[in-house]
Amino acid sequence: MSQIPHLLSPYVALPSESSLILLTSVLGASTNWLVLRYLQSYLGQNLESLSISNEIEDGDTTKVLLVSFMRDLAFWKDGARKLALDLDKLAAKKRFAFIDGLSELYLEPAKSKVGTRGAIAVRGNELGNIHNTVKNTLKELQTGSGKVVLVIDQLDLLLAMSGDKLDTVVLGDTLMDWRLSAHSTILTLAADTPLATGHDTPLETNHAALLLSLAHQADLVMSLRLLDTGTARDVSGVCRITTGDAESRRPTEQKAEARELLYFVGGDSTVRVFERGQ
């Protein structure tokens, strides 16, 4: 089983209530492996000591709702399996739920329902339907004790696919409503230069506005990018970690350290995270 890299452990531990964690990627430096480490930290049996202490202190079980607009459940199940996580069993124990925001998004609008593979499939790209599906699933996971963490993969894809039907303000309001129903929220967004700084098209303008707004709101931002000097055999990319003001942090809770790390994702899904010069 692949363990969570030691240098990464403080950042994937269960965060404070109402916190927002933003993970950004560029072409060639995906956040998939990082999202899987969050799932491993919250749902796995062999948690790092920091994550364990948080759960024991609160006396609660951590649950996860994963909403993906880019990848289906089969992708996440395969990645989780390599980390000794059985998402089917976790779903049966009401500790994990998955909303598929991609496979049936452009089919005839209908009430979202659980598919044959255990995923809750969203039909039709109307924001109201998507909003209700996420809210209802969060409510179901909140049954009993436990803290529910909301993980949204590539929310910006929904913005891009909706065209003129959806703007940044409305999407931001919807996200805020979801956040109020979860213990904390983790978001992944693309941060490629044309999308982050371009203003030539409505898509670029809306994407940049969404990215900037969420970056200002986030308590923690983990930005993945490729090496500035090009490719390297033993380095996949750079992970830059920055922290916000985090006003919701408890007085006794230490602020995570801002730093820049290198990482390498192996062919067997193992991940090394290290500092420059190591």
Side-chain angles (χ1 to χ4, degrees):
M1 172 181 171
S2 175
Q3 298 295 322
I4 297 174
H6 174 69
L7 292 175
L8 201 62
S9 297
Y11 306 102
V12 299
L14 186 66
S16 302
E17 187 175 1
S18 302
S19 61
L20 174 64
I21 297 174
L22 177 62
L23 313 177
T24 68
S25 63
V26 297
L27 187 64
S30 170
T31 55
N32 298 340
W33 67 270
L34 193 49
V35 172
L36 286 168
R37 265 61 195 181
Y38 275 101
L39 296 184
Q40 183 183 16
S41 176
Y42 299 158
L43 301 173
Q45 298 299 318
N46 298 320
L47 301 177
E48 297 291 337
S49 59
L50 184 57
S51 299
I52 293 175
S53 63
N54 280 342
E55 292 199 354
I56 292 176
E57 179 183 352
D58 297 329
D60 287 334
T61 299
T62 304
K63 306 174 183 179
V64 173
L65 170 58
L66 174 58
V67 184
S68 183
F69 294 99
M70 177 68 80
R71 303 161 185 93
D72 61 11
L73 180 58
F75 173 88
W76 294 110
K77 285 170 64 174
D78 181 62
R81 178 181 52 80
K82 296 175 182 177
L83 301 179
L85 289 178
D86 189 329
L87 296 186
D88 288 332
K89 289 184 178 179
L90 288 165
K93 294 179 180 178
K94 304 297 183 182
R95 289 196 59 199
F96 174 80
F98 179 79
I99 295 179
D100 185 347
L102 175 65
S103 301
E104 301 184 14
L105 195 62
Y106 282 98
L107 296 182
E108 190 69 23
K111 184 178 180 181
S112 300
K113 59 182 180 179
V114 178
T116 56
R117 295 171 297 170
I120 302 170
V122 175
R123 275 199 165 200
N125 63 343
E126 287 79 6
L127 185 60
N129 183 36
I130 299 171
H131 171 265
N132 292 334
T133 301
V134 174
K135 285 279 287 187
N136 292 338
T137 308
L138 282 170
K139 185 176 181 180
E140 291 176 6
L141 278 180
Q142 287 168 342
T143 303
S145 62
K147 297 177 178 179
V148 181
V149 177
L150 174 62
V151 182
I152 306 178
D153 178 45
Q154 302 298 157
L155 182 65
D156 49 328
L157 188 62
L158 177 62
L159 184 67
M161 293 189 297
S162 299
D164 297 335
K165 294 169 50 178
L166 182 62
D167 62 38
T168 306
V169 175
V170 175
L171 185 58
D173 291 342
T174 300
L175 175 60
M176 180 59 69
D177 190 44
W178 290 340
R179 289 179 59 190
L180 292 174
S181 300
H183 171 78
S184 57
T185 303
I186 300 172
L187 281 173
T188 73
L189 296 177
D192 300 86
T193 300
L195 293 173
T197 61
H199 300 284
D200 295 332
T201 66
L203 171 60
E204 293 173 347
T205 301
N206 289 334
H207 187 105
L210 178 66
L211 180 63
L212 183 62
S213 173
L214 293 176
H216 280 299
Q217 296 176 43
D219 299 280
L220 179 70
V221 179
M222 301 182 70
S223 304
L224 304 186
R225 71 174 193 272
L226 300 175
L227 285 171
D228 297 332
T229 54
T231 59
R233 186 177 60 180
D234 56 351
V235 179
S236 298
V238 180
C239 178
R240 184 185 182 191
I241 303 170
T242 55
T243 57
D245 294 334
E247 296 178 355
S248 61
R249 186 185 297 110
R250 295 188 294 266
T252 57
E253 187 177 355
Q254 293 184 348
K255 182 177 180 179
E257 179 185 358
R259 63 200 308 183
E260 190 168 274
L261 303 169
L262 302 179
Y263 69 91
F264 174 72
V265 182
D268 55 353
S269 296
T270 58
V271 173
R272 289 182 57 236
V273 177
F274 49 96
E275 296 182 291
R276 294 182 184 273
Q278 289 186 338

